[in-house]
Amino acid sequence: MTRARLLRILHYAGLYLFWPAVALVIWGELRKGGDMFDVPDKVEHFVAYGGLAGMAVLAVGERKHAMRIAAALIVMGAVLEIVQAIVGRDASYWDEVANTAGALCGAFTASWLMILLKPLQSRGGPGETGNG
């Protein structure tokens, strides 16, 4: 499988999975009850927002939007923490810190992955055809 094909597969995976993942995160943050998984709460927040940011950056397909995407997800997380307080859940500053760290790491990782998988010709590699 070529790098360009793998990048295209990741693009479409992000494109089709992002909105269902957003819905799952919103549901998970606002539902009554304990943690969804048997891992620390902050790990759930970090992984969820990192995954959302990574999928969004890959779906958009342009690294220049990565920080805007991360910022939008950070705002979404802050709004959800405020709504949690309104609906009777425990809002936490530290949850938002984990959301922020996850969104930034996810956006950075997806951007880095796009650089690695971009065909050599479009990166300016000498004499490369970009087919491999």
Side-chain angles (χ1 to χ4, degrees):
M1 178 181 306
T2 66
R3 288 180 285 183
R5 180 161 167 74
L6 180 57
L7 189 57
R8 191 170 36 256
I9 289 169
L10 291 172
H11 164 74
Y12 284 111
L15 189 64
Y16 292 117
L17 296 176
F18 176 74
W19 289 112
V22 167
L24 180 65
V25 167
I26 291 171
W27 174 79
E29 287 207 32
L30 298 180
R31 75 183 184 89
K32 301 277 186 200
D35 294 336
M36 290 177 66
F37 303 101
D38 192 24
V39 295
D41 176 51
K42 304 314 176 252
V43 173
E44 286 181 357
H45 283 267
F46 181 87
V47 170
Y49 281 81
L52 288 177
M55 283 188 282
V57 170
L58 289 168
V60 170
E62 294 186 27
R63 293 179 294 120
K64 66 182 179 182
H65 299 300
M67 287 304 109
R68 286 188 201 122
I69 289 167
L73 289 169
I74 290 166
V75 169
M76 182 184 93
V79 168
L80 286 172
E81 288 301 317
I82 292 167
V83 173
Q84 279 182 358
I86 294 169
V87 299
R89 295 263 332 251
D90 291 332
S92 168
Y93 170 78
W94 293 108
D95 285 351
E96 183 56 21
V97 171
N99 296 346
T100 299
L104 292 173
C105 286
F108 173 79
T109 302
S111 295
W112 176 75
L113 189 61
M114 289 171 65
I115 291 170
L116 287 178
L117 293 177
K118 197 167 226 177
L120 289 175
Q121 185 178 23
S122 62
R123 285 194 297 187
E128 296 292 336
T129 63
N131 293 330

